[in-house]
Amino acid sequence: MRIILLIKNKKRGKIKMYKGTKYYKEKFYTYPAVLDDSENEKGTYTVTFPDVPGAIGEGKGISEAIASGKEGLESILIASNELYTNSPIEKVKKDNPNKIVTYILADMEEAREITKPATVKKNTTIPRDLAIKGEKAGVNFSKLLTDALRVKLS
């Protein structure tokens, strides 16, 4: 694993990851989250993160809302390639009276695993004559195998 350089931008409260890195310094990050059901059906919570623009989740019940918020948080952190400075939870609670405020954990290893490209390399053996004919015909063997598997498994 590589060690990365984090540069803090005091104006915007962001910590920009050094360009080209793919590993966060820590495995886990926590951010204060606000669970609010005031604009939803009672018991259905929208989860927002005051410090992480665009991170959002929603769920019926607190457990489902927290799980959804975790996914939203991890998605934004992976997609933006940035870490955000988190506010003290007491400030977030003060700014959001009558709402549930809690920390939500982002597991960056798990998030990277889930967001890895959805392809794997598989070596396969086929008859030599078919390989020669396929190469002459310009067959894309990966596409052919993928298409055949989709038909077979559907």
Side-chain angles (χ1 to χ4, degrees):
M1 185 169 7
R2 294 185 290 184
I3 296 184
I4 62 169
L5 172 65
L6 300 175
I7 303 168
K8 187 171 183 177
N9 180 331
K10 290 187 181 190
K11 270 187 187 176
R12 296 191 340 220
K14 294 181 180 178
I15 300 173
K16 182 76 173 166
M17 291 184 63
Y18 182 75
K19 207 166 188 75
T21 62
K22 60 182 180 180
Y23 296 107
Y24 286 86
K25 187 175 180 183
E26 303 292 333
K27 180 180 178 193
F28 300 109
Y29 292 93
T30 55
Y31 287 92
V34 178
L35 285 73
D36 181 11
D37 68 350
S38 65
E39 295 182 19
N40 303 329
E41 177 184 314
K42 192 74 177 155
T44 298
Y45 295 91
T46 298
V47 183
T48 56
F49 298 84
D51 302 317
V52 185
I56 192 165
E58 184 176 274
K60 196 168 189 99
I62 293 172
S63 297
E64 189 178 302
I66 288 174
S68 176
K70 178 183 183 297
E71 288 177 10
L73 174 62
E74 291 169 345
S75 296
I76 291 295
L77 293 176
I78 292 288
S80 70
N81 206 30
E82 293 183 18
L83 298 175
Y84 298 83
T85 306
N86 42 349
S87 303
I89 199 161
E90 296 77 24
K91 180 188 180 313
V92 178
K93 285 180 179 180
K94 185 179 174 187
D95 293 346
N96 295 279
N98 305 320
K99 297 177 185 169
I100 299 169
V101 176
T102 187
Y103 282 112
I104 291 185
L105 176 82
D107 181 337
M108 301 314 294
E109 266 184 31
E110 180 181 286
R112 275 193 304 276
E113 272 304 309
I114 292 169
T115 58
K116 274 186 180 178
T119 59
V120 294
K121 186 174 183 173
K122 290 289 184 188
N123 290 329
T124 150
T125 304
I126 60 172
R128 185 170 189 264
D129 64 318
L130 289 178
I132 292 169
K133 288 178 184 176
E135 287 169 4
K136 283 183 182 175
V139 171
N140 178 334
F141 290 98
S142 292
K143 183 177 179 345
L144 179 65
L145 178 58
T146 300
D147 292 345
L149 281 171
R150 285 195 174 120
V151 168
K152 178 80 172 178
L153 299 174
S154 63

